[in-house]
Amino acid sequence: MLPRKIDQILSRVDRLWPMPTSVNRTLRAMEDPMITAGYVAELIALDQALAASVLQMANSAAMGFTVNCTSINEAVMRLGFKRLKNLIMSIVAEGPLSRNLSGYRIGAGDLWNHAISTAVTAQWLAQAVGYGDPDEAYLAGLLHDIGKLLLDQYIVLDYSKMIDLMQRYNLRLWQVEEQLLGIDHAAVGGLMAEKWNYPVVLIDAIRCHHAPSLARTRPELPAIVNVANALSAQVGVTNKELFVNEIHPESYNILRLSEDTLEQLRKRVGEYLSASRSQSRI
Ligand SMILES: [Fe+2]
Ligand SMILES: [Fe+2]
C-alpha cells in the first residue's frame, strides 16, 4: 500500500474513535506523577456519564468490593489510577469495538467480546508468568485488534478472495491482509496507537501481537497478547475463520510458558466465557 494511502486511512481515526475532551483531559492528567486523586475526581465529575461509570465500577462486586462508596473521590482512591485508566479506556473503546464490521463480516458486539476476553486472559496470564504490570496487559489485550476498525472498509470487496486465500494456502488473516492491502490490522493498530501517543510498549504489543519477536522493546507484552488472543479465539468467538487461534511458537520461549500453566489458563478462560454467555442470556 502506498504511504499516502496509509495516511488517508489514518486520517479517519478521529472520526472512527472520538475521544471526548473530558476523557482526554482525565487520561492526560493521570500521566502526571504529581497529580492528586482529588484533582482527577474533579475532572471525572465534570462528565456525568463518565462519573456514573466510575462509581458503578468502584461498587461492582466483580471487582471484589463489598462496601458501597458514594463519592467520585472515594471511587478514584479505591480503584487506583491504573485500574481507573483501564476503566476509562474500556468506556471509550466499547462504542467503536462493538460496531458491526461489514468488511470482515464480524457481527455487532463480536469484536468487543473478543477484546474483553483477550484483555481478561492477558491479565491472568501476566499474573501467571510474573509480568510486572498485569493492568498494562489488560489494556494491551483490550486494544490489540483496533486496526480492524480501520481496515474494515477496505476489506469489503476482497472478503471472499481473502477467505479463499486463507483456505487454499493455509494463511493467517494478517498474512492475507498484507498480501491484499499491503498492511495488516496489527500494523494499522500500531500506527493508530502511535498517533495517540501511547507508550512504546503498548504500541509494540498491538503492532506485534501476531509476531511477538519483532517487538522493538521487550517482547513479553506482545507475547502475552498473542497467547491471550489465541486462547480467547479458541474458545470464544463465533466467526472462527477470521480469528487467529494459534499461539506463535516464539511466545512459549519468550514467556517460558509451561503446558501446565497454559492448560490451567485455557480452563479458566473457558469457564469465564461460558459464564459470560449464560449471563448475557438472562
Ligand atoms: Fe489480531
Ligand atoms: Fe484478536
Side-chain angles (χ1 to χ4, degrees), residues 109-122:
D110 275 5
L111 190 59
W112 173 245
N113 289 338
H114 171 63
I116 285 286
S117 57
T118 306
V120 171
T121 310

Side-chain angles (χ1 to χ4, degrees), residues 144-145 185 209-210:
H144 76 283
D145 270 340
H185 69 270
H209 73 265
H210 291 298

